[in-house]
Amino acid sequence: MPHLPAPTAPHPGAAPAPAPMRSAAPGRGLKGRIGVPGDKSVSHRALMFGALAVGTTEITGLLEGEDVLRTAAAMRALGAEVERLGEGHWRVAGRGVGGLVEPADVLDMGNSGTAARLICGLLAGHPLFAVLTGDASLRRRPMRRVTEPLLATGARFTGRAGGRLPLAVEGAAEPMPLDYEVPVPSAQVKSALLLAGLCARGTTRVTEREATRDHTENMLRHFGATVRVAAEGNRRVIELEGQPELRAAPVAVPADPSSAAFPLVAALLVPGSEVTVAGVGLNPLRTGLFDTLREMGGGLSVTNARVEGGEPVGDLTASFSALRGVDVPASRAPSMIDEYPVLAVAAAFARGTSRFRGLAELRVKESDRLAATVALLAANGVRAEVEGDDLIIARDGAPAPGGGTVETHMDHRIAMSALVMGLASTRPVAVDDTGFIDTSFPGFTGLMNGLAGGPAIAAPPSGLRE
Ligand SMILES: O=C(O)C1=C[C@@H](OP(=O)(O)O)[C@@H](O)[C@H](O)C1
Ligand SMILES: C=C(OP(=O)(O)O)C(=O)O
């Protein structure tokens, strides 16, 4: 059997023991050039497309975070051969479009919304029965946004109240193509519908009211499908010709801009810092944070810009900067949706008022990120307000006080954002559990401590109460 690293939570709902940590000012600037793990969105999709292609897909730079390992295990359970050849180097022998087989057991997607929702789309187009579940965070997240439109393929879904996981799926024997306008800005919904469309005869049409990350469209083309994308005002209309023969194709996964965000924001906030993150994915539908940090006066530059594996990448350098408040329009939210917690930390060190508009989607992430971000800041002496779907943070440019303990609510991005805050605040910042960081950024603590030149992030000496 090829080796597949074991997920850390082997049973649905079995929470591993919490791993508290605390971060403190390193006493000097963060310095160095680092790489961060592969892009999570691209990694999930590379495994899924590999499983649907004819032939063997080689993936390099795959994120070996828990979320992606769940997708790897699911693709194996659906009949693909998934093999780890070395660090980040994986091989998938696919079964062809429509060729997935019924899994023998429940598919546990752990903490991953992307895996659960995209796999709903995959399953809808195959005549099989499957049950999806996840951890306590994922079991709270809405699934109707994918299952409702997927009903028109002929698939059937039975879930808990509110359409949540665990969810039983009966895929369609002869799936119908969809024509659907996605009411929320969600690349996961768009992607699930396109994946279902692969198995349908005829043209699937998905309209989005604002552009979201387009890794699925790019990868469909890369594997040989016919995809047309047309702009109609702000709308994007994506048309996919069903039942293509996808051909295996190599995928080089760029470094994840959503992970690069943490060391780069830390460098902007810790005096004397200069940090470079190499080979970061710079797909324009992912780079809203970097534009916003520049608008705040952040010293952030791109060198060595190039195209690798069909995606733009570059080396990003951030250096300590005095930041000012910023007004971020709602239209920018899809291009930086996972970056708001760490942007809020940056705003806590800026002079002036920051307003981030249109953040309703943050309420349905691994935690209610709007509430969790307000609580993160409040625990550390920074007042933030929510007005409708906007987050407002007004500050005078002084370092944030810190000194608090942050509840992470099973949310990796809340944990990392809090630890970044502690590196720059007057007093240390503690988090109750860092275990979920491994879902997207294994090695985070070691990398940050390497930049700090010592254990700036460490387990608190005597638990959280000192
Ligand atoms: O398609 C994807 O890979 C993702 C889309 C986003 O979710 P939504 O589609 O729910 O906005 C994002 O928050 C998530 O981390 C990854
Ligand atoms: C929202 C996220 O992921 P997912 O929806 O895949 O759980 C994230 O990584 O911030």
Side-chain angles (χ1 to χ4, degrees):
M1 268 297 267
H3 169 71
L4 191 66
T8 54
H11 307 297
M21 290 269 202
R22 194 186 69 161
S23 61
R28 70 157 176 84
L30 304 174
K31 294 276 183 196
R33 180 184 172 87
I34 55 170
V36 298
D39 188 278
K40 178 155 71 69
S41 294
V42 175
S43 295
H44 282 300
R45 288 161 172 81
L47 290 166
M48 292 180 197
F49 279 97
L52 290 175
V54 173
T56 301
T57 291
E58 276 212 29
I59 308 169
T60 50
L62 188 86
L63 166 64
E64 294 178 337
E66 165 114 2
D67 277 18
V68 174
L69 297 181
R70 297 285 179 166
T71 290
M75 292 307 107
R76 182 177 285 166
L78 291 165
E81 280 175 41
V82 181
E83 191 181 358
R84 182 179 193 260
L85 304 176
E87 197 186 330
H89 187 186
W90 290 62
R91 188 154 64 196
V92 184
R95 301 193 59 91
V97 167
L100 299 179
V101 301
E102 188 162 277
D105 202 349
V106 170
L107 301 174
D108 182 359
M109 305 327 303
N111 193 246
S112 177
T114 307
R117 296 201 179 109
L118 269 57
I119 287 172
C120 279
L122 275 183
L123 297 173
H126 288 78
L128 50 76
F129 172 78
V131 178
L132 291 172
T133 192
D135 69 13
S137 156
L138 188 55
R139 281 183 273 121
R140 281 192 290 267
R141 295 176 68 183
M143 298 299 290
R144 281 223 174 104
R145 51 179 52 203
V146 288
T147 58
E148 218 158 79
L150 284 171
L151 289 175
T153 63
R156 297 200 310 184
F157 298 87
T158 318
R160 284 200 302 132
R164 292 170 212 280
L165 302 181
L167 187 70
V169 186
E170 286 172 74
E174 289 187 29
M176 300 294 289
L178 302 169
D179 183 355
Y180 187 72
E181 179 165 316
V182 187
V184 285
S186 168
Q188 292 177 4
V189 176
K190 168 179 68 177
S191 301
L193 306 188
L194 291 172
L195 287 168
L198 278 174
C199 294
R201 193 191 295 274
T203 305
T204 287
R205 185 178 297 105
V206 183
T207 302
E208 48 183 4
R209 294 175 185 168
E210 40 198 322
T212 64
R213 66 191 69 193
D214 59 358
H215 305 300
T216 300
E217 296 91 307
N218 294 344
M219 216 173 277
L220 279 166
R221 287 202 189 93
H222 186 60
F223 279 77
T226 302
V227 187
R228 289 178 295 276
V229 180
E232 286 181 6
N234 279 345
R235 287 175 155 67
R236 258 173 106 247
V237 182
I238 302 134
E239 289 185 339
L240 167 68
E241 292 308 323
Q243 300 187 342
E245 179 169 298
L246 295 184
R247 290 179 304 276
V251 180
V253 181
D256 197 328
S258 299
S259 296
F262 298 102
L264 291 171
V265 168
L268 294 175
L269 301 184
V270 177
S273 297
E274 185 173 292
V275 168
T276 299
V277 187
V280 180
L282 295 177
N283 180 316
L285 293 170
R286 295 290 299 282
T287 50
L289 173 75
F290 304 137
D291 299 335
T292 303
L293 291 172
R294 282 197 200 94
E295 284 175 17
M296 296 175 81
L300 192 61
S301 58
V302 181
T303 51
N304 200 12
R306 58 207 187 266
V307 174
E308 271 179 12
E311 292 274 353
V313 300
D315 302 342
L316 278 175
T317 300
S319 43
F320 172 70
S321 306
L323 300 178
R324 50 182 180 269
V326 68
D327 193 321
V328 183
S331 59
R332 200 181 291 168
S335 69
M336 53 181 296
I337 193 66
D338 294 338
E339 282 67 80
Y340 283 100
V342 78
L343 178 64
V345 168
F349 290 78
R351 179 189 294 274
T353 300
S354 292
R355 186 175 194 118
F356 311 150
R357 297 175 189 269
L359 304 187
E361 279 295 299
L362 291 193
R363 296 194 170 96
V364 291
K365 299 297 181 186
E366 284 83 329
S367 66
D368 174 345
R369 281 190 184 154
L370 210 42
T373 300
V374 170
L376 182 169
L377 296 175
N380 291 290
V382 175
R383 216 166 73 97
E385 277 171 59
V386 175
E387 259 181 39
D389 295 330
D390 298 354
L391 179 64
I392 300 141
I393 301 162
R395 296 282 296 158
D396 62 3
T405 296
V406 173
E407 282 185 62
T408 57
H409 300 285
M410 305 178 81
D411 191 329
H412 52 133
R413 301 210 193 271
I414 296 298
M416 289 186 278
S417 300
L419 292 171
V420 164
M421 186 175 198
L423 295 175
S425 50
T426 309
R427 287 186 293 149
V429 170
V431 298
D432 63 349
D433 187 11
T434 53
F436 287 88
I437 291 175
D438 282 350
T439 60
S440 68
F441 197 161
F444 168 78
T445 305
L447 265 183
M448 298 304 288
N449 284 339
L451 294 173
I457 303 178
S462 52
L464 288 178
R465 271 176 255 284
E466 295 170 52

